[in-house]
Amino acid sequence: MPIAKVGEINMEYYVEGQGPPLLMIMGWIGHAGFWGEPFLERLRPHFQIIRLSNRGTGLSDKPGGELTVGVMADDAAGLLAELGIGRAHVLGISMGGMIAQELVLSHPRAVQGLVLGCTTCGFAHGAPPRPEVLAAMAQAGALTQQERIRQFGSSGRA
């Protein structure tokens, strides 16, 4: 479990594989170990994968103070710099996608390409769901998995 000093924090990270660098940023409470092994196996032959644990997750420090997407984007840029990686492709999932978007806005020279999954531009800039979608999602919690699949699969709702 490698640890790098990035600014004022110690950050857990892993580097593996061969090819152009790919920084992988997991969402909310996820950490570097949350990426599934089958997924990683497919990426390793094509990319030098850099997985990090955002501050407050995994073995990375959990400092006090304000925790924002911008702070975590600066951490990601700092890790790349600490590893001597000038530019990387970036994959962000969920909140990691929000961090990745901030990374490309705040540190554009560090990002060669951007892939976003299951994410948003943030609540302040996003479009809220329609009331009927919120109502259907609230009801979905009481349904079985099969009923949820049937309800959302047949109605065209996401």
Side-chain angles (χ1 to χ4, degrees):
M1 74 191 122
I3 302 287
K5 185 74 170 175
V6 177
E8 79 283 358
I9 69 164
N10 293 306
M11 180 175 276
E12 176 186 23
Y13 72 96
Y14 300 88
V15 178
E16 54 199 336
Q18 299 176 343
L22 172 64
L23 178 66
M24 299 174 68
I25 308 174
M26 183 53 73
W28 187 230
I29 59 171
H31 55 75
F34 272 38
W35 298 97
E37 189 57 33
F39 183 60
L40 295 172
E41 284 176 7
R42 291 181 173 272
L43 292 175
R44 286 185 190 113
H46 307 285
F47 295 97
Q48 176 191 36
I49 299 168
I50 303 105
R51 296 181 286 138
L52 63 86
S53 291
N54 289 311
R55 60 174 62 211
T57 69
L59 299 176
S60 293
D61 286 346
K62 300 160 181 61
E66 188 176 30
L67 180 61
T68 66
V69 168
V71 166
M72 291 186 279
D74 290 343
D75 290 344
L79 177 63
L80 289 175
E82 183 65 28
L83 297 175
I85 298 171
R87 292 188 81 183
H89 297 285
V90 178
L91 168 61
I93 300 295
S94 190
M95 190 178 86
M98 295 168 67
I99 297 166
Q101 291 173 73
E102 185 63 35
L103 176 63
V104 78
L105 292 171
S106 300
H107 305 275
R109 292 191 172 159
V111 179
Q112 183 168 347
L114 183 62
V115 177
L116 303 172
C118 310
T119 193
T120 177
C121 60
F123 303 110
H125 304 290
R130 296 185 321 262
E132 62 270 19
V133 172
L134 288 175
M137 291 173 68
Q139 292 172 347
L143 302 175
T144 68
Q145 182 179 15
Q146 292 294 350
E147 290 169 330
R148 277 188 296 235
I149 291 169
R150 214 172 298 118
Q151 177 185 359
F152 289 100
S154 64
S155 68
R157 294 183 200 152

